[in-house]
Amino acid sequence: MTSISTVEHPRSDGSALRLTFAQPVGAIRGGLVVLHEADGVDDGVRLLVLSLAGEGWLTVTPHLDGDNLTQQDLLDATDATLAWLSDRGVQADLIGVVGFDLGGTAALVVASHRRLGAAVSVGGQRVAELPALMEIAGRLTSPWLGMYGDAGDEAGGAEVEQLREAAASAGVVTNVVHYPGANHRFDADPSAAAEAWQRTLDWFDAHLR
């Protein structure tokens, strides 16, 4: 049975980064970095880590300070997490990153600054965030899948199409999927959530090989 553990990973500056991870029972297909929401590493994040490990991925989430997190903090923590996976024999082209809601935005940022095997963002896309995220999407350096709902103050189909066009200009493989009526957590639409989960698995299957 897959179990979950938390360790303190030493960094080059002498500090430590807390990592929560789960290792597959059988052979390791590759590594996945989960970027969590503002609430931190809660039960939902732990369930996601375990579920991805159950699919054969060595899955790890760094504990990030959501209140004061800068872009550089995010990239530094991701780099340390990538190094942790590398230390365990996972090759760079077999490593992906995935995030939900605010973690999805973080995954997009990482995928535009680091060359990874694949990246996935899942969650609501708020209209106010679109201009900045379209600029980021245009600089993607990793294959990226984005899946967005439009409930509440999330962007609608036209805005998501703009994000799709921006990502397509980046010169890497991208796909942006719009789920009308889904909220930022995808928890109000079980069918959309199930489809987004399968798309996530399929994206990693296709690009981390």
Side-chain angles (χ1 to χ4, degrees), residues 58-149:
L58 175 55
T59 308
V60 56
T61 181
H63 292 241
L64 305 172
D65 183 354
D67 293 331
N68 302 299
L69 188 70
T70 66
Q71 177 174 290
Q72 192 58 52
D73 291 336
L74 168 64
L75 294 174
D76 288 346
T78 301
D79 286 344
T81 309
L82 296 175
W84 183 88
L85 285 169
S86 178
D87 289 345
R88 278 144 190 83
V90 182
Q91 299 177 13
D93 59 349
L94 296 178
I95 294 177
V97 61
V98 57
F100 287 70
D101 195 20
L102 293 178
T105 300
L108 175 58
V109 170
V110 169
S112 68
H113 287 80
R114 300 292 184 265
R115 293 187 183 276
L116 302 169
V120 176
S121 298
V122 184
Q125 176 53 58
R126 290 163 180 79
V127 175
E129 297 172 353
L130 262 178
L133 291 195
M134 284 193 291
E135 180 180 349
I136 296 169
R139 301 197 302 267
L140 281 161
T141 57
S142 306
W144 177 68
L145 168 64
M147 294 177 282
Y148 297 101

Side-chain angles (χ1 to χ4, degrees), residues 159-179:
E159 291 84 2
V160 173
E161 181 61 31
Q162 293 175 34
L163 184 60
R164 179 184 292 113
E165 292 176 358
S169 71
V172 294
V173 178
T174 62
N175 187 23
V176 177
V177 183
H178 177 219
Y179 288 93

